[in-house]
Amino acid sequence: MLRSARWGAAVAVLALTTACSHVPGVYTIESRSDAQAAANRDVFDPAAYVDGVWDSKVVPALTKATDASVVVAAIGEDPDAAGERYGHRPGVGGPFSYLVKGTGTVTKVDDGSATTPLTVRLEGTDDDVNIGTGQVIAGTALRDAVGFISFSDFSNQLDYADVATQLNDRVRSDVLDHLPTDRKELEGKQITFSGAFSSLVPGTAMIVPVTLEVTP
């Protein structure tokens, strides 16, 4: 009789625990399928995120880009003031990132580098900028420059970093893959571009292009 009573009590506790599955501090018993479904809901998909904002937010953000010649000159005069006026940065003390646009002539193609930068002499100036056209796109310039992607929007640092990587991947597929395979063909060509760069190294601007049009 005592064994039956103990078994009945255990069943009652199990039933109570299961019924109170949403009560804080009470253990829950979930089926494997329920646990897997919950886990799947928590998985962040950076590709889906970028697909959702590329055409609706990222590309339109470039309409607010500043002429590259203006930004380059401002950085040369006062980097901090230039950053405050034209740039964005993800946190205090981090480098500023800028959205820029411009037209210029490709004077050099460094196809010996993994980033394959085009050296572009900006129209009407003596200033040069570099536009990365290789398969290697380093950094988080595009994510940080657009101004609407914040670390606080994500649950962890990895998801935030994955967005930057996926944005760079989108640049490869939507912009770089449409350029001539032999980038040397671009030497001497006039191009119109928009994109982003970070002021990681003073005096240099390696632009990640979001749009890049070559004049025939």
Side-chain angles (χ1 to χ4, degrees):
M1 179 66 69
L2 180 59
R3 179 176 301 176
S4 298
R6 288 179 177 174
W7 177 250
V11 171
V13 170
L14 178 58
L16 179 61
T17 303
T18 304
C20 298
S21 60
H22 298 291
V23 178
V26 176
Y27 290 103
T28 63
I29 298 175
E30 294 181 306
S31 70
R32 180 173 298 179
S33 60
D34 288 342
Q36 186 61 50
N40 290 339
R41 285 195 299 271
D42 294 334
V43 173
F44 175 70
D45 185 344
Y49 174 86
V50 171
D51 285 344
V53 300
W54 183 262
D55 290 326
S56 62
K57 291 186 176 182
V58 174
V59 175
L62 272 297
T63 61
K64 300 179 180 179
T66 305
D67 285 343
S69 58
V70 172
V71 174
V72 169
I75 292 174
E77 292 178 3
D78 188 333
D80 290 334
E84 294 294 341
R85 182 171 184 179
Y86 300 112
H88 293 92
R89 59 181 173 183
V92 177
F96 285 101
S97 295
Y98 303 86
L99 293 179
V100 293
K101 62 183 178 181
T103 298
T105 302
V106 178
T107 60
K108 180 182 177 182
V109 177
D110 184 2
D111 59 358
S113 168
T115 57
T116 318
L118 312 180
T119 300
V120 179
R121 175 59 56 89
L122 297 174
E123 191 173 60
T125 76
D126 293 326
D127 296 323
D128 292 334
V129 294
N130 292 318
I131 300 177
T133 64
Q135 287 303 301
V136 173
I137 303 176
T140 62
L142 184 53
R143 182 198 68 188
D144 298 340
V146 292
F148 65 85
I149 302 176
S150 171
F151 174 68
S152 62
D153 297 334
F154 304 91
S155 59
N156 58 68
Q157 181 68 40
L158 291 177
D159 290 349
Y160 186 52
D162 285 344
V163 166
T165 300
Q166 190 61 41
L167 284 168
N168 291 345
D169 286 346
R170 189 65 181 259
V171 167
R172 290 189 193 92
S173 64
D174 282 27
V175 184
L176 304 185
D177 285 353
H178 297 283
L179 297 177
T181 302
D182 182 0
R183 303 291 199 254
K184 283 287 187 179
E185 294 181 19
L186 296 173
E187 283 190 356
K189 299 287 188 179
Q190 186 181 66
I191 64 171
T192 298
F193 65 88
S194 65
F197 77 93
S198 292
S199 55
L200 291 171
V201 180
T204 64
M206 178 66 80
I207 296 170
V208 177
V210 175
T211 64
L212 199 162
E213 298 179 3
V214 182
T215 301

